Amino acid sequence: MKMSQMPYSAENSKQQLVGFGGINFSPRYKPGDLLNCENLSADEYPWISQRKNTAIAYTYTTDTPTGTYTSPVAIYAKDKMCIIDSDGKFYYDGTEITGHTFDVTNDIQMVTVNTKIMIFPEAWYYDTEESKLVSFGNIEWSVTTISNSGSPPYLYFKVADDYLQLYNTVSSVSFLNFTDGNGNINCFKVGDKLSFSFGVYDYSGTVTSITGSRIDFQTGDLNAGAGYLCHNGSVITFKRVVMPIETGETPPYPMFDYVCESNNRLWGVNNTKQIIYGSALGYPTDFTTYAGLSTDAYAVAVGSAGDFTACIGYGSTICFFKENIIHKLYGSKPSNYQIVTSIIPGVESGASKSLQIIKEVLYYKGRLGVYAYTGGIPSLISDNFGTVEYDESVAGTDGNKYYISMATAADNTVYDFYTYDTLRGIWIRNGSERIIDFAYLDGYMYYLEYIKPSTTQLNRIYQTGTGTEIVSWSAELCPFYENTQQRKSYLRLYLRYQPAEVVTGGTLNIYKKVVGVDSDYVLALSIGLTAVDEKTIIIPLPPNRCDSFMIKLTGVGKCYIKSLIREYQMGSEI
């Protein structure tokens, strides 16, 4: 007897994706997370959207007409933009400030204390009130005097009114412009701890005034008599002491490896000595005043292992980081300062510029990834990176987002530039730029892109949120398994999109990849973006049978991707 057969009809299934996430390299990704992307933003979450325009800021020597800068190596903003160019020249608000040429091979740090922009590691500052560069580190140098009939330097000193007075005996040359052995001018200033010695004479004190060619300074040993003229051939040794000099130390005297400002004091750490230093209140060039007052300078040695890696003022504390330790300084004055040490993930070596405070949360790069710190145990927020490791990081913020450029641990010549949206907890990859400095000024974020010297292009400063750039972008979604182990045949895609602008060459491209069938992405459809109307398109797919399916979107011009529906037919389990 012939048995009747039940008709077979496979039902089609649909999965709608209405929420797109950020970068996720880990196996714990969700549908809608991104395997890779460029030039996106989480501003319109849960849609896919693009970052704001970016434009080159300032003018350069390669421009027509010729501009100001050649290839900047450092930027910093505090009311005005500070730029150090590749020739070591310092610019403040577009004006070159003469007086010193900086060593651009250094990792330059800048921090502001009241009206002074402190520049390390060379220990100079720019005084925004007096509009000049001033040296302030420990310095020792010697000069040999010449005859009175020749040119300076030669020196006369005497005691008057309980002050030791130094005179340059040539009225046309001022001590204000006295040059040290390195060719640096403006070596003396009020408040300096200054000493000079020659022959049997050795004097030290604090400079109290500078008038013309005369320096007055208070000293505790006034036995110079009526006066003394340094004769031809006399060797005079000058020393300016800003930080305590330890026994056996010789020039050049190192100052700080890392610096920060907190409560109108300059703070710094010295890895050679393992000492934390705090300047006198309001005087960021004075680390030697210990008079038992609340305004005194401060210093404390620590016994923890390893080098300091960064420091920053955070809330009512100052945090001094090592890779696995945070030393937190509490208190309001030297008499009640105390150090509390926590053994928790700290700042990775080479990541001193990764620290940024956003809405009372401190973000930084540690050895295992990027952390968010609120005073307790830091939280790892870069778990989405999976096993991908990074080194050498520099970060910035616009007050809402955390921007960070990092070198891949596998190849430190390859960089990834990310944005972390602190409100939504989403990571977005911007591109492969190596950023060496960030600054925030007048509502705009600036970043300095490093370009390899072997190329014809030079370092450039970019300003975000401005310009007429046409953004090219991409979004590669993590594989879709549809929460089943069965094989599937994908039939069609439904994509809802809306152009945010109409630009020349505006396009939206949809690529598909059937894993196990396609060796690479295949273009499924390309759409010209000619209007800002919202549309839904249906993309038929050729017959296929697979375990997983991948989608990649690229475009020119800004376009919102609002939802994506995948229609497929279930197959067998093998």
Side-chain angles (χ1 to χ4, degrees), residues 7 9 14 24 35 39 41 71 92 96 107 113 140 161 187 195 199 203 211 310 313 319-320 351 434 437 478 494 517:
S9 176
K14 291 183 179 180
N24 197 333
L35 191 62
N39 295 328
S41 168
S71 184
Y92 181 76
E96 180 186 347
D107 185 8
V113 183
E140 181 176 317
D161 300 326
C187 294
S195 68
Y203 291 99
T211 306
C319 298
F320 301 93
R434 178 185 176 184
D437 252 340
C478 293
Y494 302 82
V517 177

Side-chain angles (χ1 to χ4, degrees), residues 300-313:
V300 61
V302 299
S304 57
D307 285 343
F308 289 103
T309 55
C311 61
I312 190 171

